[in-house]
Amino acid sequence: MTEQFFTGNRAAAEAARLARAQVVAAYPVTPQTSTVEYISQFVNNGEMEASIIRVESEHSALSAVVGASLVGARTFTASSSQGLQLMSEVLYFASGMRVPAVMCIANRTLSMPVNIWADHQDSMVNRDSGWIQIYAANAQEVFDNILQAYKICEDEKVLLPAMVCYDGFIVSHVAERMDVLTQEQADMFLPELNGSNRPLLDPKEPLQFGEVVYPDWYPDFEYKKHKALLESRKTMEDVAREYNELFDRPYGLVENHMVEDADIVFVGLGSLTSTTQWTVNELRENGESAGLLKIRVFRPFPDKEIIEVCRNAKVVAVIDRDIGYGTAGMLFPDVTRALYPLDERPKCLNFIVGLGGKDITPETIMKIHKIAEKALRGEEVETVNWPDARIYD
Amino acid sequence: MLIEICQMAVMEELHEIKLFGRGGQGIVTAGNLLSEAAAHGGKYAQSIPTFGPERRGGPSICSLRISDKPILLRCAVTTPETLCVFDPTIWHFINILLGFEGEGKMIFNTQHSPNEIEEVLTEGKYGYKLTGSGYEIWTLDATEISTRILGRPITNTTMLGAFSKATELVEMKNVEKAIGKRFPTAAEDNMKAAEEAFNSIKKL
């Protein structure tokens, strides 16, 4: 293990190199671009043995990755924002053909108006594409999660693709101290992909992927895909345990901070959880009863872990860095659905913040806390709140 | 992976800094080099520029955090205790004292003395006023040093030496390491400029 000073994008490229990804296809889009630039450098310098397929669009990039994966290669791609939207059609092909591809997403909002900065709109609108979604809060987590994602996806009980998402610029372009595994350590954790656990394209034994399935059988396919994604959580826990045993870095499906006796629990994902953790510490110093539930794995959704923490809380403040126009944030309905079966439910509030890269500061979280406190006192508050937007009434 | 750290210990050891300059002067690079130099010295560091399609010549601001403990905050600095002004005129039209609570260090690239800078700032000539008494003003003519040694008025590496001397948050040997990694072919001149800044910066 060596200590390095890397950005989130560099961390992603290093993870792809150490995972010995064999085929990389991507199309440039801010703020993802430097990830694939680093990979091109590695390949050029002989530090990584991979074929880089140059393509004319993200649609083709993911199509190339799916093809390479179907002949048995370990693949890597990266995208953001509009690029991910252009991949959208192929996302469903990848999960439907049970391709264990890994993609990193440097989260950026969707136009219009044009904006290149971070929010989770791009990955959130693709949350139901059958991909595993993991959210990282810093460069170290980007690195660790990509390596773990390969092991999870390639498990024969899973065989699904995964996105590792992290905030554009605020994680992708901020350099920080992190530990990078040596090639020997990475190989020990992630053995060579042998492909024997799944059907592969082979001219000697012809197969067809992506066939037509008639209505009578279609639900069966969909159920199997859904079940595989739900059950991948078991593999995720095993992989995280093994990673921790080897490298002493623990990861959970969710990660909790000071939730045991908390009246108000903040729920969020991505780098905003780091600033929220800071603010929870501040609140605790001031004698307030607050805690943080950080969602690392968003798909499959960690119902059980969320119920376990939130059932004891009085107010659950779900922080969304995205908006489902006409309803609420996109994390909020999943949290409330998970809590619905409880006989006594906490009050659930939704906060839309940080859209289009608006800085999420301790003051932002304090504003959320103020509204949550009102609800705690039994006062009437809106369910969906926009604490950092100018509201023109 | 959540890192559990004691908030009081963190607050004491966290240094929040803002760098001011113009697009094209290498403010972003300076922020990265300073945080990397701090990391070489065993500290945690983070530099967050105002990212965007910035124009050459327009204002460019970079937030920098240096700490002995892991840094949880993921946002721009709002209450800096150290200000580092890379451009001799940028402070004429943007409020560099926004969030500065009158206590801490200010480093200016200017031909003027610390006394002259203090006078202008406390008078409020540019629409904002310096108050308080816990501040230190440091000045040097980094543009002159950069032009003479590097052949162009790009002050980013020169200012690293000034920052090291005034704040003592990064050591010169670690600045050298960071410069050497970033500019392998021009390390010697850039280091010479940083060293001259280290030796020539003056305090009020």
Side-chain angles (χ1 to χ4, degrees), chain A residues 166-179:
Chain A
Y166 50 95
D167 290 333
F169 294 111
I170 203 83
V171 174
S172 72
H173 285 59
V174 169
E176 56 196 314
R177 254 169 78 172
M178 59 169 291
D179 290 322

Side-chain angles (χ1 to χ4, degrees), chain A residues 198-214:
Chain A
R198 60 187 172 116
L200 296 175
L201 287 176
D202 180 353
K204 284 185 230 116
E205 285 178 64
L207 282 175
Q208 189 174 356
F209 285 84
E211 244 302 4
V212 172
V213 171
Y214 287 91

Side-chain angles (χ1 to χ4, degrees), chain A residues 3-6 116-117 137-141 144 169-171 173-177 248-251 255-258 271-275 277-279 281-282 285 292 294 296 359-363, chain B residues 1-8 10-11 14 16 31-53 65 67-68 71-78 181:
Chain A
E3 191 178 289
Q4 296 289 357
F5 197 71
F6 285 161
I116 59 168
W117 293 274
N138 54 45
Q140 185 73 64
E141 292 189 5
D144 294 341
F169 294 111
I170 203 83
V171 174
H173 285 59
V174 169
E176 56 196 314
R177 254 169 78 172
D248 198 22
R249 284 204 290 275
Y251 285 93
E255 287 154 8
N256 302 320
H257 178 67
M258 295 191 163
S271 74
L272 69 88
T273 57
S274 191
T275 304
Q277 190 191 347
W278 164 279
T279 315
N281 289 345
E282 291 267 288
E285 289 288 330
L292 162 70
K294 167 184 171 179
R296 168 175 165 252
D359 219 10
I360 299 175
T361 63
E363 290 73 42
Chain B
M1 184 176 82
L2 290 177
I3 308 154
E4 298 294 336
I5 30 178
C6 163
Q7 189 79 345
M8 290 307 271
V10 168
M11 292 294 279
L14 177 67
E16 296 200 299
N32 284 337
L33 289 172
L34 282 175
S35 46
E36 186 157 2
H40 286 316
K43 291 178 194 281
Y44 290 87
Q46 169 194 77
S47 94
I48 305 183
T50 45
F51 296 104
R65 290 192 179 88
S67 175
D68 289 337
I71 300 168
L72 291 176
L73 289 169
R74 281 262 159 193
C75 50
V77 165
T78 50
K181 248 174 100 179

Side-chain angles (χ1 to χ4, degrees), chain A residues 321-341:
Chain A
R321 197 169 195 170
D322 53 74
I323 173 67
Y325 309 110
T327 62
M330 291 183 245
L331 173 56
F332 185 64
D334 274 320
V335 174
T336 51
R337 179 197 47 73
L339 298 177
Y340 185 76

Side-chain angles (χ1 to χ4, degrees), chain A residues 58-243:
Chain A
E58 284 87 354
H59 191 282
S60 302
L62 191 55
S63 300
V65 157
V66 167
S69 191
L70 288 178
V71 297
R74 186 174 279 159
T75 61
F76 182 77
T77 186
S79 198
S80 297
S81 187
Q82 312 304 129
L84 182 57
Q85 286 300 87
L86 192 51
M87 281 181 177
S88 185
E89 183 183 20
V90 192
L91 290 177
Y92 293 76
F93 296 177
S95 59
M97 291 194 268
R98 308 295 294 274
V99 158
V102 173
M103 161 154 66
C104 76
I105 308 292
N107 281 117
R108 163 186 157 186
T109 194
L110 294 173
S111 299
M112 305 302 275
V114 175
N115 178 297
I116 59 168
W117 293 274
D119 69 31
H120 302 147
Q121 203 75 10
D122 54 355
S123 55
M124 278 290 184
V125 296
N126 290 300
R127 68 194 181 284
D128 298 329
S129 57
W131 285 56
I132 288 165
Q133 278 198 349
I134 303 175
Y135 285 79
N138 54 45
Q140 185 73 64
E141 292 189 5
V142 172
F143 178 86
D144 294 341
N145 279 324
I146 289 175
L147 280 178
Q148 291 187 42
Y150 278 107
K151 189 139 187 167
I152 296 161
C153 295
E154 291 167 6
D155 187 297
E156 63 183 349
K157 295 188 286 302
V158 180
L159 291 178
L160 283 168
M163 292 177 198
V164 174
C165 312
Y166 50 95
D167 290 333
F169 294 111
I170 203 83
V171 174
S172 72
H173 285 59
V174 169
E176 56 196 314
R177 254 169 78 172
M178 59 169 291
D179 290 322
V180 174
L181 303 186
T182 61
Q183 188 65 62
E184 291 70 40
Q185 286 175 313
D187 289 346
M188 190 165 56
F189 171 71
L190 188 66
E192 208 174 309
L193 179 61
N194 66 18
S196 63
N197 63 357
R198 60 187 172 116
L200 296 175
L201 287 176
D202 180 353
K204 284 185 230 116
E205 285 178 64
L207 282 175
Q208 189 174 356
F209 285 84
E211 244 302 4
V212 172
V213 171
Y214 287 91
D216 186 35
W217 283 96
Y218 202 77
D220 306 54
F221 274 84
E222 293 294 271
Y223 179 71
K224 282 190 83 172
K225 182 164 145 186
H226 174 63
K227 191 160 171 267
L229 187 52
L230 276 180
E231 288 176 356
S232 66
R233 47 174 296 146
K234 167 83 177 61
T235 305
M236 288 186 184
E237 284 165 344
D238 292 345
V239 167
R241 196 174 310 115
E242 189 190 344
Y243 199 83

Side-chain angles (χ1 to χ4, degrees), chain A residues 40-61:
Chain A
S40 306
Q41 272 176 28
F42 297 155
V43 172
N44 180 61
N45 298 345
E47 297 162 287
M48 182 174 173
E49 271 179 64
S51 306
I52 295 182
I53 303 177
R54 275 178 291 196
V55 288
E56 82 297 344
S57 76
E58 284 87 354
H59 191 282
S60 302

